[in-house]
Amino acid sequence: MAQPRVVTIHYTLTNDEGEQLDSSRGEGREPLTYLEGAQNIIGGLESALNEKAAGDALKVDIEPADGYGEVNEELVQPVPLSAFEGVETIEPGMQFQAQTPGGPQVVRVVEVGEETVTIDANHPLAGQTLHFDVEVVETREASEEEAEHGHVH
Ligand code: ZN
């Protein structure tokens, strides 16, 4: 089997409304480097970049299924207000790191009631069609150690 590649890209991500959600091109930002075949980036973007070489530029539209998944209503849940003991103010939109059996997870506050707080553990980009404007900066063959570890050194 051929060695996977290490690919460096610049990208700008916008949503359906054309709002910019993220970009590697901003001030103080750096291009993104990933190892092929190691789920370092979302599947839809990686497959679009499969055969691309340095200098190639492309636009990729990614449906939720190939991005951050559909919104799962079961991940929107009320928790008792007492779970936020020690937090001075709780407001919709705030994010917390929660400990779950599957490891640490970011949850967002959706609604604050008298005794409960409704939280949403979906990825913030779940359910969204993603529009990437990408340019390949550099590619190289991964080292055996990188391929074994599943990440770039
Ligand atoms: Zn390593």
Side-chain angles (χ1 to χ4, degrees):
M1 203 180 102
Q3 281 292 100
R5 299 185 304 168
V6 169
V7 182
T8 300
I9 58 169
H10 262 305
Y11 69 93
T12 298
L13 168 61
T14 51
N15 62 14
D16 271 340
E17 284 72 48
E19 293 166 326
Q20 185 175 307
L21 303 174
D22 191 13
S23 177
S24 67
R25 296 173 167 112
E27 215 186 305
R29 299 294 310 270
E30 285 185 5
L32 174 76
T33 297
Y34 69 92
L35 173 66
E36 284 184 340
Q39 278 98 47
N40 288 173
I41 63 171
I42 56 172
L45 185 56
E46 179 164 342
S47 51
L49 290 165
N50 258 345
E51 310 274 302
K52 302 298 178 198
D56 286 349
L58 62 154
K59 290 196 160 114
V60 192
D61 299 320
I62 298 170
E63 298 299 322
D66 297 318
Y68 292 99
E70 302 289 352
V71 173
N72 179 355
E73 293 300 335
E74 284 176 17
L75 294 179
V76 182
Q77 289 182 347
V79 296
L81 197 56
S82 57
F84 292 86
E85 216 182 304
V87 182
E88 263 180 43
T89 22
I90 306 168
E91 285 171 352
M94 287 175 83
Q95 298 194 355
F96 291 90
Q97 180 102 255
Q99 298 303 326
T100 74
Q105 189 170 13
V106 173
V107 300
R108 272 165 305 140
V109 174
V110 181
E111 206 183 323
V112 182
E114 299 259 309
E115 281 163 19
T116 59
V117 176
T118 305
I119 56 161
D120 184 351
N122 283 288
H123 189 281
L125 296 178
Q128 296 214 38
T129 301
L130 309 172
H131 305 277
F132 280 95
D133 186 327
V134 192
E135 187 191 343
V136 179
V137 178
E138 192 186 356
T139 70
R140 65 171 169 85
E141 199 174 89
S143 70
E144 267 173 43
E145 205 185 12
E146 286 171 321
E148 208 172 282
H149 288 194
H151 56 235
V152 176
H153 285 166

